[in-house]
């Protein structure tokens, strides 16, 4: 038996597709999640939501509670941001993907989100993962920035083991010696997790590279490598973005 008992490709009880309302992640179509890094205002989100919806995107992303490296940076609008996401979702028929920073916020974020995002910094918060495993909403599990593929899959295993089968993995780049882009996109991890597990996997070249010119080539590379979708950060005024 492999270490990935529940996430293993051989496991009979698990499906390789995650249903988010009427949207399927891991099916024949790519799932594109687009939106700002952080929700900043009603005008900002409305403009972005309108743009992504008209491009055919079905999922909006946006942080209401942001895990910023510096406590002096914009921390997100909090509950107000969650409400704006829900409004955009209703207006443009978009599913909401937003980060939950920890157990203390599950209750608050749950009603506003269609997919609960676990950030890179929380991938190893195992008690938190167990709590998310007891919920009935899909979890998008980012890879820890310094985590191996094995650690990442075992983190997914925590959620599955607690009863939530609906886990989508997200490769978002790892830290390496090379700082020429923000992180190093581990494209090889995409087919590798597909070999080891049944879970759908998407790629986030925005956190992965931190560089606008690299988003398109890395998106194409991720899809060629077998990704089930993409998470892309977009902004109506990128030069003025708060994060
Ligand atoms: C984000 O999606 O904006 C984010 C903070 O992601 P990560 O946890 O991958 O850094
Ligand atoms: Mn971001």
């Amino acid at each position: 038996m492999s270490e990935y008992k529940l996430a293993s490709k051989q496991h009979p009880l698990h499906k390789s597709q995650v249903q988010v309302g009427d949207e399927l992640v891991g099916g024949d179509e790519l799932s594109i999640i687009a939106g700002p890094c952080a929700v900043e205002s009603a005008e900002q989100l409305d403009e972005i939501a309108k743009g992504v919806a008209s491009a055919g995107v079905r999922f909006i992303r946006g942080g209401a509670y942001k895990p910023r490296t510096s406590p002096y940076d914009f921390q997100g609008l909090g509950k107000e941001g969650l409400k704006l996401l829900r409004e955009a979702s209703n207006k443009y028929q978009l599913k909401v993907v937003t980060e939950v920073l920890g157990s203390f916020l599950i209750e608050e974020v749950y009603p506003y989100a269609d997919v609960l995002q676990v950030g890179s910094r929380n991938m190893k918060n195992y008690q938190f993962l167990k709590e998310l495993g007891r919920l009935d909403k899909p979890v998008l599990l980012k890879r820890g920035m310094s985590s191996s593929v094995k650690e990442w899959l075992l983190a997914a295993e925590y959620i599955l083991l607690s009863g939530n089968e609906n886990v989508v993995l997200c490769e978002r780049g790892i830290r390496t010696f090379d700082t020429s882009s923000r992180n190093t996109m581990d494209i090889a991890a995409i087919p590798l997790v597909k070999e080891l597990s049944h879970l759908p996997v998407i790629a986030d070249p925005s956190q992965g590279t931190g560089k606008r010119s690299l988003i398109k080539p890395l998106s194409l590379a991720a899809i060629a490598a077998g990704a089930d979708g993409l998470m892309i950060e977009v902004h109506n005024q990128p030069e003025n973005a708060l994060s």
Side-chain angles (χ1 to χ4, degrees), residues 181-238:
S181 63
R182 183 167 162 205
N183 288 294
T184 299
M185 271 304 268
D186 186 4
I187 296 289
I190 295 166
L192 191 56
V193 295
K194 290 223 153 248
E195 232 172 83
L196 296 169
S197 90
H198 67 272
L199 299 171
V201 57
I202 68 165
D204 171 356
S206 299
Q207 325 299 321
T209 68
K211 211 166 150 44
R212 206 183 298 177
S213 62
L214 299 181
I215 304 304
K216 188 172 172 186
L218 269 296
S219 296
L220 294 171
I223 293 164
D228 295 294
L230 299 168
M231 172 177 262
I232 311 266
E233 289 191 353
V234 296
H235 201 282
N236 53 334
Q237 295 176 341

Side-chain angles (χ1 to χ4, degrees), residues 76-97:
L77 294 180
K79 193 160 190 165
E80 181 56 25
L82 296 171
K83 289 183 182 160
L84 292 173
L85 281 165
R86 202 71 253 168
E87 280 170 27
S89 155
N90 294 338
K91 187 165 169 192
Y92 299 105
Q93 276 81 54
L94 296 161
K95 302 280 183 277
V96 171
V97 182

Side-chain angles (χ1 to χ4, degrees), residues 37 61 66 182 207 233 243:
C37 181
R61 63 147 288 147
K66 294 299 300 175
R182 183 167 162 205
Q207 325 299 321
E233 289 191 353
S243 67

